[in-house]
Amino acid sequence: MVRQGYLATLVVVGVLLVGCSRQSHPERANSQPISGTSEPVAPLTPASLIGSWTIADVADPGAGAILRLADSELDLIGSRCGTLGGSWRASSDGTFLADIFTATATAVEGIPGCAKASQETPAWLRGAAAYQFDGAGLPVLLDARAQPVARLIPGATRPITPPPMMLSATLKLAQV
């Protein structure tokens, strides 16, 4: 119950900040293409963000490889702290908010800097305040200044890895 209150507060504060940002920066309009493109931008629909995306153009090398967005849940797969889980919200005006609140316990144990991975949203994802589609129709997450934070490439697939018990059994067989 406390998490839902926290998430609701986070969403309200984020929407207010983005709304205030738009009032002070009227030149930021979703109809404008992202820098480097000259084609019109696709209409903004949050449902268009649902799917598994390969993350590109992120400054943080340990940011993760795949962002899976479901109805209101997200998974950040391949971060240096393993798989992180959380929630996200978007609106048709271009607002985007995400929060991480879970981590795979076995993945974060013993990794320096990952003890609080379930409590800390990665900086690039925390900085995403909006989304827009580029000239090719691909989603781009933007910061509060409308600068690209990450590009999302469709069709990401989760790497297949055996469960830890099978992996250790395989290693033991290989040693025989």
Side-chain angles (χ1 to χ4, degrees):
M1 191 68 168
V2 173
R3 280 187 204 266
Q4 290 176 338
Y6 173 75
L7 182 59
T9 302
L10 179 66
V11 168
V12 169
V13 169
V15 168
L16 289 173
L17 288 174
V18 170
C20 291
S21 164
R22 288 173 184 244
Q23 288 178 353
S24 63
H25 300 290
E27 70 277 1
R28 181 181 169 214
N30 288 329
S31 61
Q32 295 298 316
I34 297 170
S35 60
T37 65
S38 59
E39 300 173 29
V41 177
L44 299 175
T45 57
S48 298
L49 296 173
I50 293 175
S52 292
W53 306 94
T54 299
I55 303 166
D57 301 336
V58 175
D60 179 7
I66 298 172
L67 180 64
R68 188 189 67 79
L69 299 173
D71 185 30
S72 62
E73 299 174 356
L74 72 81
D75 290 313
L76 181 58
I77 302 165
S79 76
R80 67 178 204 82
C81 295
T83 298
L84 306 176
S87 63
W88 69 282
R89 298 280 185 266
S91 67
S92 58
D93 72 349
T95 303
F96 180 89
L97 297 169
D99 185 39
I100 297 292
F101 52 79
T102 64
T104 307
T106 56
V108 298
E109 291 176 4
I111 299 175
C114 290
K116 294 183 179 180
S118 66
Q119 301 166 8
E120 299 175 359
T121 302
W124 71 270
L125 189 55
R126 185 176 53 249
Y131 72 100
Q132 193 172 57
F133 294 94
D134 65 12
L138 298 177
V140 179
L141 299 180
L142 307 169
D143 65 15
R145 295 183 179 178
Q147 297 301 309
V149 172
R151 294 187 183 276
L152 304 179
I153 312 297
T157 56
R158 179 179 246 169
I160 299 173
T161 55
M165 292 182 302
M166 285 184 65
L167 186 58
S168 64
T170 304
L171 290 174
K172 287 180 184 174
L173 286 175
Q175 292 174 349
V176 175

